[in-house]
Amino acid sequence: MSWVQLPLSAPLNSTTKSDDCTLKAHRSWDKALLSPPDGQTMWTEEHRDWTKVKYDSLEDGTAFPKQFMWGVATASHQIEGGNTNNWSAFEPRSKSKQLSGEACDHWNRRTEDIGLITDLGVSHYRFSIEWSRIVPQEGEWNEQAAQWYSDLVDELLANGIQPMATLHHFTQPIWWEEKGGFEREENLHHWIDFSKRMFALLSDRVRWWCTINEPAVFTTMGYVLGEFPPGVRSFKRAKAVAMNMMRAHATCYQTLKGMENGGLCEIGLVKNINLFDPYRRWNPLHWLQARVLDGMFNRCWINGVRTGRFKPPSALRAKRVPGLKNSSDFIGVNYYTHLLATPFMPTKVEIDPLIRPWEQRTDFRYPMYAEGLRRAFEMVKGLGLPIIVTENGVADDDDDMRPEHIRRHLQITAEAIADGLDVRGFYHWSLMDNFEWAEGYDQRFGLYHVDFETKQRTLKESGATYASIVKSHRTPQVVIMAGGLGTRLGEVTERIPKSLVEVNGKPILSHILDWAQRQGCLNALVLTGHLGEQFDEFTHPGMVVNFHQEPTPLGTGGALWNARSLLEDRFILLWGDDLHPIDYHSLLKTHEKAGAPLTMTATTKHEQMNLKHAEGRLEAYNKTTQTSDLNGYESGTSVVEKSVVLEHGKEGVWSWEETVYPALSGKAAVHLDQTAFWDMGTPERLALLETFLKESTL
Ligand code: GAL
């Protein structure tokens, strides 16, 4: 669910003609006279002519910063199947009367579904933890269920995907619902305990945490419109629930921040921003209605987090909520649409909401209105927090709107970033079609189609669209060769693997990963061998780093072949004893343009030469003899298509450069870059690297 109409008045006939006397389509930032409740910005309703918008930068990978978080989102009850909670109990009474039942059967298809996420090429995945599975009865703790989530996290990380966990996404155990759920403040400690235990279990691996998903939607749908459990229509009870949700969020945030890893994790509230615009812009009553709804649905919650004082919708006074002020490290924004307000708004979802004449209706009947995402960002900007789009997507059964929906919303996000707004990431709702609450299975939001009979998942065109935009922006996995013996370094490498030798205060590997991370890389695979066990405790905050140890020395080629199942389709190959701080983006551009199976970096500033290149292609590689026709030296970083490994690889010991480079003569591309590389092959070179790092501003 993502929109709401409050029962303030009688239903309006959906055929009412839209009156557009002051609002023009294609006009930018139409300034209105009335300022919104926070009095900071003018209330505007931008509409643009999307046929004129060019999406070049989305396609060529220049629209978003290198470290942008590319994600997809789901929620436990909507995909897992087999849940017993407040929702499963309510479903027979819901609008659609459909039962969630097996849902997508994700509980039994976790690995397959992680494959779907990996195939999209995204770097982040938002999921929720089903409290009712873990604490099915008061006082119980289901270790196996908790372990399932721990395994999910491990599997995500092993696939280079950063998890984001939500602690409350609309569902709760029946025993807790029976105690009155969020209606009673004395119940909150149960959810806090659950959150603490899950945080203790996962926070060594999960950096991103959402406390509560959409408290305004939960409150309004459950206690005002009666479309969510418990199906109540009471402003009085809604007021108590709203207040306690904010208390719960604040306590959860403060408690988790105080725990081990709390300081390393980013914990935030997820707020659905539903815009309300006056239907007729000349009518003060429409303005008033829009303003009231905006205040109740959006502003009072945001102001609560900003000031620490919360005035629940329909309450007369704001109350101080302990710990609420600044209780978020980021603000999650779920954005779906805007609604046009009149004093006569329908209270039934069956009646189509009003839309502007040029707008397109989604299957949920509300319009696609991407321009509003910018307004949602502006609305939360005053919190001074990084913004993450924790959900955005569309119900679109035949997938004919979704590709454009994705492009428009990403375009708006990219423009906001270019204008200086701190938007860090975008999670598409949803990974796959799923159980859409009161709508049951009738509203399909997925990038993958799910056949709910067979449970088969199929990528939609929109999934391919999203994947291709993500791919054009993401820095591929870096694969680091760290298995060498390092004999030239002498004694030290008898005790420590070369990549863990410290230079300027930390292992060379950390310096290499720092650089890769600055180049937007979030995923590294380190191939170890000699003394490989010593990497066990190694981590690099903000990056997924996986290790793969060769059983016996296999040489550079053998090590890659041995790790082939862990390689991404395209990867950046680096040496574990070599710092080569080059711009990955231009290297990747050369690779893309050349359409080569492999692109190596070469410099001409080196005392020896080991390759011959012409017109951007490798003509010959010769590591052993210095002939006069050589005109470049391979300087370390290269881009490799996995197909090269599969084609030229074999079991046993073999050298990557001596096998693959000659074989790819005439085919491999050469990227000329004069940036110095710093290896630590000998004690002298190690000392030079130390000096370089001390003096550099890298
Ligand atoms: C949000 C909700 C999601 C999903 C989505 C689509 O409000 O958090 O669970 O249902 O709407 O309507």
Side-chain angles (χ1 to χ4, degrees):
M1 137 69 222
S2 51
W3 66 281
V4 66
Q5 297 162 325
L6 293 173
L8 297 177
S9 49
L12 180 81
N13 188 327
S14 62
T15 56
T16 306
K17 216 175 134 272
S18 169
D19 179 344
D20 173 38
C21 64
T22 55
L23 186 78
K24 292 266 183 301
H26 323 324
R27 187 202 286 183
S28 232
W29 300 103
D30 174 30
K31 291 266 186 279
L33 293 172
L34 198 68
S35 52
D38 67 7
Q40 286 164 5
T41 45
M42 297 295 277
W43 191 331
T44 57
E45 185 183 334
E46 186 204 12
H47 285 271
R48 66 173 67 171
D49 180 358
W50 286 99
T51 59
K52 299 219 169 75
V53 176
K54 296 231 180 325
Y55 297 119
D56 297 355
S57 66
L58 293 183
E59 279 147 27
D60 69 17
T62 56
F64 287 88
K66 285 171 178 164
Q67 272 150 335
F68 195 69
M69 301 156 67
W70 292 97
V72 284
T74 62
S76 54
H77 188 67
Q78 296 179 271
I79 60 168
E80 287 176 357
N83 284 330
T84 307
N85 55 27
N86 60 328
W87 257 95
S88 63
F90 177 76
E91 281 154 18
R93 291 193 286 136
S94 81
K95 199 185 85 186
S96 75
K97 304 223 166 10
Q98 293 179 29
L99 308 182
S100 53
E102 292 183 338
C104 305
D105 194 29
H106 171 67
W107 193 258
N108 299 308
R109 292 166 199 258
R110 187 181 65 214
T111 303
E112 177 189 347
D113 291 341
I114 291 173
L116 303 183
I117 304 170
T118 316
D119 287 350
L120 290 172
V122 295
S123 51
H124 290 69
Y125 173 55
R126 174 174 175 234
F127 62 93
S128 73
I129 304 172
E130 184 57 40
W131 180 15
S132 65
R133 277 187 188 273
I134 291 170
V135 189
Q137 298 298 333
E138 185 174 356
E140 278 181 22
W141 183 262
N142 183 336
E143 281 297 342
Q144 277 164 350
Q147 188 57 40
W148 187 95
Y149 291 101
S150 183
D151 294 344
L152 167 73
V153 166
D154 284 344
E155 263 187 79
L156 288 167
L157 292 173
N159 284 281
I161 296 160
Q162 290 270 359
M164 175 187 257
T166 304
L167 289 161
H168 189 279
H169 195 127
F170 296 168
T171 52
Q172 50 215 28
I174 291 175
W175 60 265
W176 197 70
E177 183 90 342
E178 283 170 353
K179 284 178 182 286
F182 280 107
E183 280 185 67
R184 304 172 77 94
E185 190 179 351
E186 62 268 32
N187 289 345
L188 302 183
H189 71 96
H190 292 286
W191 179 69
I192 301 291
D193 281 351
F194 155 75
S195 301
K196 271 166 71 179
R197 288 187 71 167
M198 288 316 296
F199 191 79
L201 180 66
L202 303 179
S203 63
D204 59 335
R205 288 156 292 152
V206 177
R207 175 172 169 210
W208 299 95
W209 292 81
C210 305
T211 54
I212 297 182
N213 181 69
E214 302 186 344
V217 173
F218 180 90
T219 309
T220 321
M221 293 299 279
Y223 294 85
V224 180
L225 293 179
E227 292 210 10
F228 280 14
V232 166
R233 281 173 167 255
S234 154
F235 275 110
K236 190 166 165 235
R237 289 168 72 178
K239 195 165 82 179
V241 169
M243 194 46 136
N244 286 327
M245 288 199 106
M246 282 306 242
R247 289 189 176 117
H249 156 75
T251 312
C252 180
Y253 174 83
Q254 303 297 351
T255 309
L256 303 189
K257 284 310 268 188
M259 289 175 64
E260 194 183 348
N261 299 324
L264 300 172
C265 292
E266 316 286 338
I267 307 171
L269 180 71
V270 171
K271 177 74 191 86
N272 172 301
I273 304 289
N274 212 328
L275 300 173
F276 296 93
D277 287 313
Y279 174 50
R280 291 179 177 152
R281 296 178 68 83
W282 48 263
N283 189 328
L285 292 177
H286 294 194
W287 278 98
L288 189 67
Q289 178 77 337
R291 185 179 166 140
V292 167
L293 293 174
D294 182 45
M296 289 167 81
F297 198 87
N298 300 317
R299 311 267 172 181
C300 71
W301 304 85
I302 299 165
N303 288 342
V305 176
R306 191 166 49 84
T307 63
R309 295 179 63 80
F310 181 51
K311 180 172 155 322
S314 88
L316 292 177
R317 273 181 299 115
K319 262 197 199 159
R320 201 184 81 79
V321 176
L324 183 60
K325 192 167 181 186
N326 300 327
S327 57
S328 268
D329 301 325
F330 65 91
I331 183 76
V333 168
N334 290 359
Y335 174 75
Y336 288 91
T337 195
H338 73 155
L339 289 175
L340 302 181
T342 73
F344 308 101
M345 288 178 74
T347 61
K348 291 268 182 295
V349 187
E350 288 79 9
I351 298 168
D352 282 350
L354 295 162
I355 63 171
R356 302 289 179 209
W358 55 86
E359 285 180 338
Q360 223 181 324
R361 275 190 204 283
T362 67
D363 288 356
F364 228 121
R365 311 310 293 156
Y366 53 67
M368 161 156 81
Y369 177 55
E371 297 88 327
L373 179 56
R374 173 62 181 264
R375 296 170 56 198
F377 295 152
E378 300 286 345
M379 201 187 284
V380 297
K381 191 171 80 176
L383 290 171
L385 297 172
I387 301 168
I388 298 176
V389 181
T390 33
E391 281 180 35
N392 175 256
V394 60
D396 174 26
D397 189 33
D398 46 14
D399 201 43
D400 60 351
M401 267 176 103
R402 191 174 291 102
E404 181 62 11
H405 191 278
I406 290 172
R407 285 191 286 268
R408 287 187 189 179
H409 287 81
L410 287 177
Q411 178 74 22
I412 293 287
T413 307
E415 287 172 15
I417 296 171
D419 291 346
L421 282 164
D422 187 9
V423 187
R424 302 277 175 93
F426 186 100
Y427 289 73
H428 184 271
W429 182 272
S430 181
L431 168 66
M432 57 187 156
D433 296 338
N434 57 45
F435 179 73
E436 177 53 31
W437 308 113
E439 310 294 317
Y441 292 104
D442 298 339
Q443 304 285 351
R444 292 179 175 269
F445 275 90
L447 294 174
Y448 286 88
H449 176 271
V450 176
D451 178 328
F452 291 108
E453 291 292 308
T454 63
K455 306 287 184 283
Q456 199 188 339
R457 286 91 158 114
T458 314
L459 185 72
K460 299 180 189 177
E461 189 198 317
S462 55
T465 303
Y466 190 55
S468 113
I469 297 172
V470 172
K471 188 171 180 202
S472 75
H473 283 89
R474 275 204 68 193
T475 307
Q477 169 193 47
V478 287
V479 176
I480 302 175
M481 296 284 200
L485 294 173
T487 29
R488 282 183 304 155
L489 267 182
E491 222 192 18
V492 62
T493 48
E494 282 167 24
R495 289 177 283 114
I496 309 172
K498 205 160 49 163
S499 306
L500 291 184
V501 170
E502 293 208 354
V503 218
N504 197 28
K506 59 184 179 189
I508 172 84
L509 180 59
S510 302
H511 294 286
I512 296 170
L513 291 173
D514 278 345
W515 182 257
Q517 195 171 14
R518 280 180 51 187
Q519 295 302 306
C521 183
L522 296 174
N523 179 15
L525 172 66
V526 182
L527 305 185
T528 66
H530 171 62
L531 301 173
E533 323 68 62
Q534 292 190 25
F535 290 91
D536 280 357
E537 300 292 303
F538 187 95
T539 56
H540 196 83
M543 264 183 116
V544 179
V545 187
N546 290 305
F547 295 89
H548 192 67
Q549 189 174 4
E550 58 190 3
T552 52
L554 293 172
T556 46
L560 274 169
W561 176 253
N562 182 45
R564 63 193 177 283
S565 67
L566 304 170
L567 301 172
E568 284 183 5
D569 287 348
R570 175 180 293 173
F571 59 91
I572 296 177
L573 185 60
L574 306 175
W575 305 103
D577 56 355
D578 201 347
L579 181 66
H580 190 206
I582 64 159
D583 177 34
Y584 289 0
H585 191 77
S586 46
L587 167 63
L588 286 161
K589 251 184 153 165
T590 307
H591 181 73
E592 194 70 52
K593 244 172 101 193
L598 179 152
T599 301
M600 60 175 65
T601 320
T603 174
T604 51
K605 288 196 185 148
H606 198 260
E607 53 289 9
Q608 288 138 25
M609 297 285 135
N610 61 8
L611 59 85
K612 179 165 178 251
H613 65 96
E615 289 168 20
R617 295 278 163 184
L618 175 74
E619 293 198 333
Y621 178 79
N622 189 340
K623 202 175 165 179
T624 40
T625 25
Q626 284 294 305
T627 50
S628 58
D629 59 341
L630 298 183
N631 60 359
Y633 188 83
E634 200 230 326
S635 43
T637 312
S638 47
V639 186
V640 183
E641 298 296 315
K642 180 178 177 176
S643 54
V644 177
V645 180
L646 300 182
E647 215 174 288
H648 300 275
K650 53 178 188 250
E651 290 296 330
V653 185
W654 57 280
S655 150
W656 171 254
E657 52 281 27
E658 283 164 46
T659 313
V660 167
Y661 292 174
L664 291 185
S665 292
K667 293 191 199 123
V670 172
H671 175 73
L672 272 188
D673 184 304
Q674 307 298 7
T675 310
F677 59 91
W678 300 87
D679 77 66
M680 41 173 274
T682 61
E684 299 73 47
R685 297 202 58 89
L686 181 59
L688 284 175
L689 173 58
E690 179 95 34
T691 316
F692 167 70
L693 285 171
K694 276 210 171 89
E695 289 167 2
S696 90
T697 49
L698 270 189

